[in-house]
Amino acid sequence: AQSVTQLGSHVSVSEGALVLLRCNYSSSVPPYLFWYVQYPNQGLQLLLKYTSAATLVKGINGFEAEFKKSETSFHLTKPSAHMSDAAEYFCAVSETGNQFYFGTGTSLTVIP
Amino acid sequence: ETGVTQTPRHLVMGMTNKKSLKCEQHLGHNAMYWYKQSAKKPLELMFVYNFKEQTENNSVPSRFSPECPNSSHLFLHLHTLQPEDSALYLCASSQDGLAGNEQFFGPGTRLTVL
């Protein structure tokens, strides 16, 4: 069975500081992994996805994530936080296309 | 219109009302999805349609009834809802049902059941 765990439902960082949002997954086969961002009153927008090519995946808005099979992790990072990064972030895993399993989300606050 | 659109954006209804949510995708995709998003809970997949055929129904109560007349449109018909059904309902689409294809989401309908 697949599942996703996002450690930390709330993360606060100072503007310009490193952003690290954690995601661990469980999957019986090599999975497809995704990070989505949700701004207030909007739907989810894809940040990046891992599909078994490079283990370091670069996404939009300066975000990137590294797939670590040994740790079953897919943490999201950004070197320098901007105020506009404040949003809800969701990690998701998929083995088959129709079934996405989402984590409970991490709310990112950026402190000026 | 581009991407995935949903109407209405907000809906307030009583428990005895009947209403419908509409989703339209302008991406040429063949798979469409309904999700329920409640506070502090993971997104819950409700229904999946592939090429207009329903392929998933994740134990959703019968008071929710989906309809997919073509690959571009998806409806969620609501009747005799309960207050615990209040949530954000998100529609999504993907190229098809194959693994690795990302899902594109609409802005959602915020539903409040009184």
Side-chain angles (χ1 to χ4, degrees), chain A residues 49-71:
Chain A
K49 69 176 183 179
Y50 168 75
T51 56
S52 76
T55 55
L56 182 62
V57 182
K58 294 187 183 299
I60 63 171
N61 301 339
F63 284 93
E64 61 182 35
E66 185 173 10
F67 172 69
K68 291 187 176 180
K69 183 179 180 181
S70 61
E71 299 177 7

Side-chain angles (χ1 to χ4, degrees), chain B residues 8-105:
Chain B
R9 293 294 309 276
H10 300 272
L11 178 62
V12 179
M13 58 188 290
M15 290 189 287
T16 58
N17 292 157
K18 290 184 179 181
K19 296 287 184 182
S20 296
L21 310 185
K22 178 183 177 181
C23 175
E24 183 173 3
Q25 58 94 2
H26 309 268
L27 301 168
H29 289 166
N30 295 305
M32 296 188 76
Y33 312 79
W34 279 118
Y35 286 90
K36 176 183 179 182
Q37 185 178 28
S38 304
K40 308 302 181 187
K41 295 175 68 175
L43 270 72
E44 300 172 50
L45 179 65
M46 300 175 72
F47 302 103
V48 180
Y49 279 82
N50 254 320
F51 294 90
K52 302 186 298 178
E53 297 296 321
Q54 184 175 314
T55 56
E56 295 287 342
N57 176 341
N58 283 354
S59 303
V60 180
S62 59
R63 57 185 183 270
F64 295 91
S65 175
E67 178 189 1
C68 188
N70 54 60
S71 293
S72 298
H73 294 85
L74 185 64
F75 295 89
L76 188 62
H77 304 300
L78 317 171
H79 65 97
T80 59
L81 295 190
Q82 304 299 311
E84 60 264 30
D85 297 322
S86 298
L88 182 68
Y89 288 83
L90 293 166
C91 174
S93 71
S94 65
Q95 181 61 49
D96 49 39
L98 296 179
N101 287 326
E102 62 262 37
Q103 296 184 6
F104 293 78
F105 285 81

